[in-house]
């Protein structure tokens, strides 16, 4: 073993050794030559080399070598990417439930006390209105979510007749459809879900 490598081992100077693997081999050979326990010597060298700031404190009273927690190389960037993906997913999920529908679709609450003063709804407007609370999912012609939540009793949603919007409702009997002022009736039976109802075919 070269003298400078031996000096590097005694000083725990890893930078002066060819590689860590060579260094551990030198430690094992050095321990064997001195009649020491090879495995224990290698373990001590690994521990002390991992905490170089404590190397000169081993002989001080009450000193206990500590181990440092080291993450694998590349862990910090990977955790950053994962956190960004999680945040983006959470933000996108919130946006899906709150995204506004493109013009000319509009939402409006239904107020039965104001119908006497309200202007009549033209026959070019289709209205989706709840007569009881129900979960309603509405998708635009491109499949994007317009609404995905519980509609309270009397809440309504409107669009131009002929637009290819599609609707899922949890309770078919709790959601009715109107064309202008004309009621077409509920979208299904009470308590029975209605899936993929094509509003563009209704006239």
């Amino acid at each position: 073993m070269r003298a400078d490598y031996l000096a590097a081992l005694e000083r725990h100077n890893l930078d002066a050794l060819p590689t860590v693997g060579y260094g551990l081999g030198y430690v094992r050979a050095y321990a064997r030559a001195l009649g020491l326990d090879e495995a224990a010597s290698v373990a001590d060298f690994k521990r002390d080399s991992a905490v170089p700031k404590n190397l000169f404190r081993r002989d001080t009273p009450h000193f206990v070598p500590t181990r440092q927690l080291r993450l694998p190389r590349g862990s910090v960037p990977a955790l950053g990417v994962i956190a960004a993906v999680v945040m983006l997913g959470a933000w996108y999920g919130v946006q899906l439930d709150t995204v506004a529908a493109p013009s000319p679709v509009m939402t409006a609450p239904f107020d039965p006390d104001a119908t006497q003063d309200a202007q009549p709804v033209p026959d070019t407007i289709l209205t989706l209105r709840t007569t009881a609370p129900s979960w309603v999912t509405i998708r635009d012609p491109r499949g994007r979510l317009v609404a995905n939540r519980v509609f309270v009793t009397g809440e309504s949603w409107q669009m131009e007749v002929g637009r290819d919007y599609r609707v899922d409702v949890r309770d078919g009997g709790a959601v009715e459809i109107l064309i202008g002022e004309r009621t077409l009736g509920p979208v299904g039976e009470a308590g029975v879900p209605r899936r993929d109802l094509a509003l563009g075919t209704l006239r």
Side-chain angles (χ1 to χ4, degrees):
M1 185 187 306
R2 288 170 39 176
D4 57 336
Y5 288 170
L6 182 59
L9 291 178
E10 294 180 343
R11 294 177 177 275
H12 291 80
N13 183 8
L14 297 180
D15 294 334
L17 298 173
T19 65
V20 174
Y22 275 106
L24 296 179
Y26 293 154
V27 170
R28 191 179 300 276
Y30 192 22
R32 186 185 311 117
L34 297 178
L36 302 176
D37 186 300
E38 298 178 22
S41 298
V42 170
D44 289 342
F45 183 81
K46 288 181 178 180
R47 181 193 60 219
D48 293 342
S49 298
V51 195
K53 65 182 180 180
N54 293 329
L55 292 181
F56 302 104
R57 298 173 55 194
R58 299 191 62 179
D59 297 329
T60 59
H62 311 299
F63 170 71
V64 178
T66 59
R67 295 181 180 271
Q68 290 182 334
L69 177 62
R70 293 188 176 182
L71 295 175
R73 182 174 299 177
S75 297
V76 174
L79 291 175
V81 171
I82 293 173
V85 171
V86 171
M87 293 177 62
L88 181 60
W91 176 85
Y92 185 68
V94 172
Q95 295 304 309
L96 286 180
D97 289 342
T98 59
V99 63
S103 179
V105 179
M106 53 187 174
T107 58
F110 176 69
D111 184 0
D113 297 331
T115 53
Q116 295 181 350
D117 299 328
Q119 296 294 325
V121 179
D123 293 337
T124 57
I125 297 297
L126 181 148
T127 303
L128 202 70
R129 187 167 67 199
T130 52
T131 57
S134 176
W135 190 282
V136 178
T137 301
I138 304 173
R139 292 181 175 84
D140 69 9
R142 298 177 61 182
R144 298 174 300 185
L145 279 176
V146 173
N148 187 33
R149 58 180 176 81
V150 174
F151 277 38
V152 299
T153 302
E155 188 172 356
S156 64
W157 177 88
Q158 296 178 317
M159 69 169 219
E160 289 184 352
V161 171
R163 299 291 299 276
D164 189 22
Y165 282 74
R166 293 181 176 271
V167 175
D168 297 335
V169 298
R170 184 168 297 174
D171 184 353
V175 181
E176 63 179 0
I177 293 179
L178 299 87
I179 302 292
E181 299 289 336
R182 177 170 52 95
T183 302
L184 301 185
V187 301
E189 299 181 10
V192 179
R194 180 67 186 271
R195 305 295 185 191
D196 201 28
L197 173 61
L199 299 181
T201 62
L202 302 177
R203 296 290 189 273

